[in-house]
């Protein structure tokens, strides 16, 4: 359902050029839970952004559900992202002027869908944040904000969920609860999950681990030991 | 050098009140390297902010180097923070319009000090970021931004360094390099370091680990196993 072919991404130009992705070719089947690991600066966030259509590669092809993203104009790309993709950013990106509940509900609003009764509350309950529904992001701890960002990415039950360091700000117990939820949701609705992580505990929840170094994939570990 | 006495911090009021710190009493000697661990939402960031004079407790006393912080007006508190304290924030807080080098140099500028020749470059070199000195924060990966934030906190050789999750966005190898640097700098100049972390590898670099739960300290582990 995700197919990248010889994807390159270069930032800047001339002697200031940074080669963030240096030839990425990858096929990920529907319903899988894949972890991506690699050193700081190796291209993980860039890979996720290109795969999710949040950024355009410098060269190469990205297909999501068979659709070549380069064939979509900005409007249609925005619709595809809104309707079919969930994204957890490395720095959360919550809207500071919206409450926790409003932040979680926003993707549904943007997609013109009505939330099922109590859907937002149920998800917040799952993350231990129900009594904070009316608070603003700045009133929450780092780990609480991260959980709101994950809830927001899950509310639309997207076909593909991309998560950039979803447990980076969480203690080990909360991290395991969140990972179990990601894996269960994924199995129940056949959602494909691609998760970038530095955390071996997080990677152990995935079906396979791919290793990125200097902008290209250099290794694969099927069935990591839990 | 850091002394907290029955510190309470309550956010909001009435039925919306959140008791972030519920009676913290703590004495930390000069030159020590202390790690603070605890579940998400247990009060770690709040504790750090009160100890570093970035926030005022609701009640209780905070003394830094013998100085009762409640006796200082905002101007003198700002001077004390600027001249004697380094702080690494959980969300980095780099200035988006300044380059990496300008961000690192800023605390010296604000303190009216001249950087030693090549001091900024040497520190960036240490963090593997020398060739990015002229770039803006948004051009860096998450882990690279975190390293810039740590370099910025170290440039003034502060008497006390407070670090909130300094390795959260780093892969294990980069994390270990940064922790070794924190420990070495601390030993060489007798700097006191208080580090909040979820990462057992980070905590293992400290001389003692303190455990926070529900806004109070509940345990202590001297000499964690490396
Ligand atoms: N401005 C605020 N208004 C209301 N509540 C707040 C505010 N800032 C923090 N809190 C709450 O105080 C409690 C402690 O927050 P704190 O940020 O210190 O936790 P933490 O231990 O650093 O958590 P994490 O590991 O998730 O970063 C949390 O319940 C948090 O939601
Ligand atoms: N807008 C940009 N301009 C220039 N270089 C960039 C830009 N964005 C990212 N880079 C560079 O591209 C490389 C890959 O960045 P990326 O954010 O994908 O790394 P990462 O693997 O996610 O790292 P981390 O683990 O630290 O988050 C890095 O060297 C980074 O500095
Ligand atoms: Mg990243
Ligand atoms: Mg925190």
């Amino acid at each position: 359902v995700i197919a990248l072919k010889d994807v390159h991404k270069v930032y800047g130009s001339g002697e200031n050029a940074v080669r963030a992705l240096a030839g990425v070719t990858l096929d990920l089947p529907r319903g899988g839970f894949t972890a991506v690991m690699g050193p700081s600066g190796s291209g993980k966030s860039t890979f996720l952004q290109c795969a999710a259509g949040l950024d355009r590669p410098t060269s190469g092809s990205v297909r999501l559900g068979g659709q070549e993203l380069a064939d979509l104009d900005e409007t249609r790309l925005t619709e595809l992202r809104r309707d079919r993709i969930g994204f957890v950013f490395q720095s959360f990106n919550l809207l500071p002027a919206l409450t926790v509940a409003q932040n979680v509900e926003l993707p549904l609003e943007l997609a013109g869908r009505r939330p099922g009764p109590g859907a937002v509350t149920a998800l917040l309950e799952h993350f231990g944040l129900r009594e904070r529904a009316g608070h603003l992001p700045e009133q929450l701890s780092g780990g609480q904000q991260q959980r709101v960002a994950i809830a927001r990415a899950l509310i639309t039950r997207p076909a593909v969920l991309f998560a950039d360091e979803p447990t980076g700000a969480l203690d080990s117990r909360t991290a395991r609860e969140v990972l179990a939820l990601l894996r269960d949701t994924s199995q129940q609705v056949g959602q494909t999950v691609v998760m970038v992580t530095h955390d071996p505990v997080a990677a152990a929840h995935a079906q396979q681990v791919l290793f990125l170094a200097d902008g290209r994939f250099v290794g694969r570990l099927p069935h990591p030991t839990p």
Side-chain angles (χ1 to χ4, degrees), chain A:
Chain A
V1 71
I2 301 167
L4 277 72
K5 200 143 174 288
D6 199 32
V7 169
H8 290 256
K9 178 71 184 180
V10 180
Y11 292 110
S13 57
E15 57 166 55
N16 255 330
V18 177
R19 184 166 286 286
L21 295 179
V24 167
T25 295
L26 185 65
D27 270 304
L28 295 176
R30 188 172 297 278
F33 190 163
T34 300
V36 174
M37 300 187 87
S40 175
S42 55
K44 302 180 298 298
S45 296
T46 303
F47 157 69
L48 230 57
Q49 287 159 20
C50 287
L54 282 166
D55 200 2
R56 304 257 186 205
T58 308
S59 68
S61 141
V62 180
R63 306 183 78 90
L64 269 184
Q67 171 69 56
E68 168 59 59
L69 299 189
D71 294 342
L72 298 176
D73 61 26
E74 282 311 309
T75 307
R76 296 202 49 216
L77 184 60
T78 301
E79 283 174 11
L80 180 135
R81 278 198 311 258
R82 199 192 56 193
D83 298 343
R84 308 188 54 200
I85 296 174
F87 203 103
V88 181
F89 291 90
Q90 193 168 4
S91 53
F92 317 159
N93 286 31
L94 298 176
L95 295 187
L98 296 186
T99 65
V100 163
Q102 288 168 344
N103 264 288
V104 172
E105 201 177 336
L106 191 61
L108 286 175
E109 297 276 336
L110 294 176
R113 291 195 233 164
R114 295 241 36 88
V120 172
T121 309
L123 204 44
L124 287 177
E125 176 82 29
H126 223 115
F127 284 98
L129 289 171
R130 186 177 160 163
E131 63 276 3
R132 310 305 296 271
H135 285 200
L136 296 174
E138 62 156 14
Q139 292 174 301
L140 267 56
S141 77
Q144 291 165 341
Q145 291 182 36
Q146 191 165 45
R147 279 176 270 159
V148 173
I150 296 164
R152 175 181 67 176
L154 286 174
I155 196 76
T156 50
R157 306 209 139 199
V160 190
L161 176 70
F162 293 94
D164 199 343
E165 313 271 359
T167 61
L170 303 178
D171 61 271
S172 44
R173 199 188 85 182
T174 315
R176 258 169 296 165
E177 290 169 6
V178 164
L179 292 162
L181 185 75
L182 282 181
R183 200 183 42 198
D184 296 345
T185 313
S186 153
Q187 281 169 1
Q188 283 162 25
V189 308
Q191 179 179 51
T192 306
V193 180
V194 185
M195 169 180 75
V196 157
T197 184
H198 288 304
D199 179 6
V201 168
H205 283 75
Q207 290 164 347
Q208 67 171 354
V209 184
L210 305 176
F211 296 91
L212 198 65
D214 297 318
R216 55 173 72 89
F217 283 101
V218 298
R220 179 175 173 268
L221 184 69
H223 300 300
T225 24

